[in-house]
Amino acid sequence: MYQVIARKYRPQTFSDVVNQEHVKTTLENAIAQQRIAHGYIFSGQRGTGKTTVARILARCINCVNGPTPQPCGVCANCLEAAKGGGMNVIEIDAASNRGINEMRELNQSVLQRPASARYKIFIIDEAHQITTDAFNALLKTIEEPPEWVVFILCTTEAHKIPATIASRCQHFSFRSVDFEDLMARMAWICGQEGIEADAEALAVLAQAGEGSVRDSLSALDQAIACCGAQLHAAEIRALLGMFSLESLGQVSQALSDSDSRRMLDVVDELERNGHNLQHFSRELARYFRNLLVARIAGAEGAARLIAASQVQRQSLAEVAAGFSEEDLTRFLHLSLELFRDLQYSLQPRFHLEIGLVRLVQAGRLVPIEKALAEIQGSGAGSAAEMRRPANSVPPPSSPAVVAPKPRAGPSPFEIDSAKKAAPAPGSRPPAPEGDARERLLAHLVQNGLTHLADAVENSSVTAAGAELQIVTAKTYKMYLEDRHFESAVREVFGRPLRIKITVGETGSPPAAIPAKAAAGNGADDIASKALANPEVQRFREVFGGEVRKVRNLKE
Ligand SMILES: Nc1ncnc2c1ncn2[C@@H]1O[C@H](COP(=O)(O)OP(=O)(O)O)[C@@H](O)[C@H]1O
Ligand SMILES: [Mg+2]
Ligand SMILES: [Zn+2]
């Protein structure tokens, strides 16, 4: 009878179990000391050995030579545990037996002494699926179990086990299995089965499992069914909808060349070859994740973190060196979004095209610190230089973000924050009354009261003694009668002023306000002055766009 590989090669002893060293060692030591708990929780990703270890533990406990960390494997009790159940080792799949009746039955069964072994061991798989009532029924048994009972709860979702139960169990969490160990295990199994598979083919299968041994072994079954006794990476990739580093590398190449056109070709090629675009986006996200990890940790440092062979990790690290950490973070973020979008998309091709082109655009962004540093940098370096050159990439050792150059004067941001940190309005030395409008404006803008700022901007304002005279259009009058405005005035002038609002023509400002700060020709003057400012010009060169409005906040 044909038996799937995963079951055929279920480890029978702790030493066959790959990884999970912490679990194995702790259990072995406890058994050697005859310290056997009544409740265990095994949690972790599927296919990492929970059921397997539960059965091994059952053997260790019940073996005629036991309890022993080295069960004989041939006595009746060992055989019972290995085949997954009998009178003394009872396996329950909670996914299908999750109700209160099943738990009552279980409680009954718990009360009867084991017939032919020391312990009665209950292995409950998918334990998180047990209903709340059923858990409650079970609780009493777990609280005061008969001396001959051991529960092993296996689950992928430990947080769903009620605290009342969990607190009475020893908890072991199973990790997803390391790539290299998984490769070695698969190579061994292939050897046993007489299957020829090169390292790359094994790497593809190991990657397909994403840390789950069972999933990788299922992929191996599939590959053998499809390709026979000789496995090749390319065929397996096609079978499993995976992509080689070279094909994913086209995307990173297009990114470092800032070449949107190439991206469209990539999509076209995928379509023409009948590839699944969703699979591609999933693999792309994984690719950027691996690049980011390689960029941060380096090829060697990332050995445990990247599920890839040493050669692949090396090539990932080389590609990663061509991008900054920030770039790769952005790419990963965007590719995850793309993956999510594609899952629901009725037009996967369009989504993929947009997604890849957006990646190129994101790659063109210059770090803001760098942009500011350049703007400040007393004219050294032109805007053209600042745009990332199409194919030059920073050397691997270059810091991810270029530190701002030392510069002559404070930046606009520094001026701005200095303003925000200015002493409280009350302690401010009294300013000439002529500034009233500008001071008010600055305060309103800084506090995000934009509608009031708008109103003031379109009004003329004169402070005369204890009175603030405002001439404004009818539409703004209502805003200015608001108490927010009143308190803003109090803050700006350090005392309450009587606010006198008149509706009228605001075109010609009262004499008290300096002409340049007012509307009309004065405003044009300020605007042209501002536009002539070299910093403003560099901003426009770098970021593009147009200047819509010039507001004088400095006075
Ligand atoms: N840590 C491991 N070492 C070796 N093989 C494993 C490991 N984990 C899982 N397997 C393989 O996967 C199959 C399923 O494992 P199982 O223990 O049932 O996983 P789960 O964690 O989902 O209970 C096993 O039969 C075995 O072939
Ligand atoms: Mg299981
Ligand atoms: Zn035995």
Side-chain angles (χ1 to χ4, degrees):
M1 192 188 83
Y2 177 74
Q3 202 180 8
V4 296
I5 286 177
R7 288 186 59 191
K8 187 165 169 189
Y9 293 95
R10 188 189 284 282
Q12 301 296 323
T13 61
F14 281 129
S15 59
D16 283 346
V17 174
V18 174
N19 278 184
Q20 322 305 1
E21 304 305 329
H22 56 301
V23 177
K24 294 189 299 190
T25 319
T26 316
L27 285 176
E28 278 173 333
N29 289 340
I31 296 163
Q33 297 169 35
Q34 311 287 308
R35 296 162 68 95
I36 296 176
H38 287 290
Y40 295 92
I41 293 176
F42 290 174
S43 69
Q45 195 193 341
R46 66 199 213 94
T48 50
K50 300 181 294 295
T51 307
T52 304
V53 172
R55 287 186 186 174
I56 296 173
L57 177 61
R59 284 175 168 211
C60 294
I61 296 175
N62 267 356
C63 176
V64 288
N65 304 332
T68 166
Q70 276 104 28
C72 73
V74 292
C75 71
N77 290 342
C78 280
L79 291 178
E80 182 195 13
K83 78 172 164 50
M87 295 284 289
N88 308 309
V89 179
I90 297 121
E91 280 198 26
I92 300 168
D93 177 12
S96 43
N97 306 292
R98 53 202 291 265
I100 190 158
N101 289 334
E102 281 86 4
M103 291 308 136
R104 289 212 177 105
E105 238 169 70
L106 195 149
N107 281 336
Q108 281 304 312
S109 147
V110 161
L111 295 176
Q112 293 148 19
R113 274 182 179 279
S116 48
R118 233 166 281 116
Y119 288 91
K120 223 173 189 175
I121 300 162
F122 294 86
I123 300 176
I124 306 185
D125 233 330
E126 309 293 334
H128 60 272
Q129 301 239 21
I130 298 174
T131 61
T132 311
D133 286 345
F135 263 129
N136 285 335
L138 193 61
L139 184 59
K140 180 131 178 30
T141 308
I142 292 193
E143 262 176 344
E144 293 163 27
E147 66 199 50
W148 56 81
V149 166
V150 175
F151 280 104
I152 307 174
L153 308 180
C154 301
T155 177
T156 47
E157 291 166 71
H159 61 277
K160 289 194 182 159
I161 307 281
T164 43
I165 302 262
S167 65
R168 291 174 170 82
C169 297
Q170 284 184 14
H171 190 165
F172 292 89
S173 47
F174 286 59
R175 325 195 279 104
S176 57
V177 173
D178 286 346
F179 185 78
E180 309 272 335
D181 293 334
L182 190 47
M183 287 267 286
R185 175 84 182 162
M186 304 237 295
W188 180 78
I189 291 178
C190 284
Q192 296 290 306
E193 291 282 304
I195 305 288
E196 267 179 52
D198 56 27
E200 204 189 338
L202 289 178
V204 176
L205 291 168
Q207 274 153 4
E210 305 198 30
S212 160
V213 186
R214 187 201 286 117
D215 289 358
S216 284
L217 294 181
S218 304
L220 175 61
D221 259 325
Q222 227 179 315
I224 295 171
C226 157
C227 316
Q230 286 196 335
L231 304 184
H232 301 290
E235 283 173 317
I236 302 174
R237 277 200 196 97
L239 176 71
L240 302 175
M242 293 171 69
F243 296 85
S244 66
L245 274 189
E246 294 78 65
S247 58
L248 293 165
Q250 290 185 54
V251 171
S252 51
Q253 190 58 49
L255 279 174
S256 70
D257 295 347
S258 196
D259 187 349
S260 308
R261 174 64 222 244
R262 272 277 288 289
M263 291 296 195
L264 299 183
D265 292 341
V266 167
V267 181
D268 191 50
E269 205 182 306
L270 288 169
E271 276 270 284
R272 273 190 290 113
N273 294 324
H275 285 298
N276 181 324
L277 301 185
Q278 279 168 14
H279 286 175
F280 182 77
S281 70
R282 180 197 64 203
E283 295 286 300
L284 190 65
R286 191 205 311 275
Y287 179 62
F288 283 125
R289 183 268 177 194
N290 287 345
L291 286 177
L292 178 61
V293 173
R295 180 71 175 82
I296 293 171
E300 285 324 300
R304 291 183 70 90
L305 303 174
I306 297 179
S309 63
Q310 217 232 318
V311 179
Q312 289 175 325
R313 282 202 309 274
Q314 196 55 47
S315 108
L316 282 166
E318 275 159 26
V319 175
F323 298 96
S324 70
E325 206 176 302
E326 285 74 15
D327 276 340
L328 292 172
T329 308
R330 265 197 305 257
F331 297 155
L332 173 56
H333 200 88
L334 287 171
S335 60
L336 281 171
E337 258 175 30
L338 177 61
F339 171 59
R340 199 194 50 209
D341 288 352
L342 274 183
Q343 286 190 301
Y344 305 105
S345 174
L346 297 175
Q347 299 283 10
R349 177 175 185 149
F350 299 172
H351 260 113
L352 187 58
E353 284 172 342
I354 295 177
L356 294 184
V357 171
R358 273 175 74 194
L359 283 176
V360 175
Q361 290 163 354
R364 288 188 190 133
L365 294 175
V366 177
I368 186 85
E369 290 85 349
K370 185 173 175 185
L372 288 175
E374 291 287 338
I375 288 165
Q376 289 296 320
S378 57
S382 69
E385 233 174 75
M386 293 207 29
R387 282 200 197 96
R388 174 168 302 171
N391 49 8
S392 92
V393 287
S397 58
S398 78
V401 172
V402 176
K405 286 182 195 162
R407 50 191 180 217
S411 78
F413 291 94
E414 282 166 352
I415 293 171
D416 195 48
S417 50
K419 258 191 203 161
K420 285 189 182 140
S427 64
R428 191 182 294 175
E433 302 284 45
D435 290 344
R437 180 167 172 276
E438 295 310 315
R439 282 167 57 197
L440 252 177
L441 255 181
H443 176 88
L444 294 171
V445 170
Q446 265 175 31
N447 288 284
L449 298 166
T450 45
H451 61 293
L452 288 178
D454 258 354
V456 170
E457 197 168 32
N458 290 292
S459 313
S460 62
V461 179
T462 324
E467 194 171 81
L468 193 68
Q469 295 163 0
I470 299 179
V471 183
T472 190
K474 204 171 167 189
T475 35
Y476 294 118
K477 185 164 185 274
M478 198 178 74
Y479 291 131
L480 298 176
E481 283 167 351
D482 190 276
R483 73 190 158 74
H484 286 108
F485 183 63
E486 210 181 294
S487 56
V489 168
R490 193 165 46 236
E491 273 188 46
V492 170
F493 297 95
R495 61 196 148 104
L497 293 182
R498 192 153 14 91
I499 300 172
K500 184 170 168 244
I501 302 176
T502 346
V503 174
E505 187 58 44
T506 63
S508 52
I513 297 178
K516 68 176 176 129
N521 289 340
D524 283 347
D525 194 32
I526 290 180
S528 51
K529 246 175 139 178
L531 292 176
N533 177 309
E535 287 182 10
V536 173
Q537 283 184 354
R538 309 253 315 136
F539 243 105
R540 291 181 68 196
E541 274 172 45
V542 173
F543 293 111
E546 56 178 298
V547 176
R548 287 269 189 84
K549 203 171 200 174
V550 177
R551 220 178 239 176
N552 188 355
L553 296 180
K554 280 201 174 164
E555 310 198 277

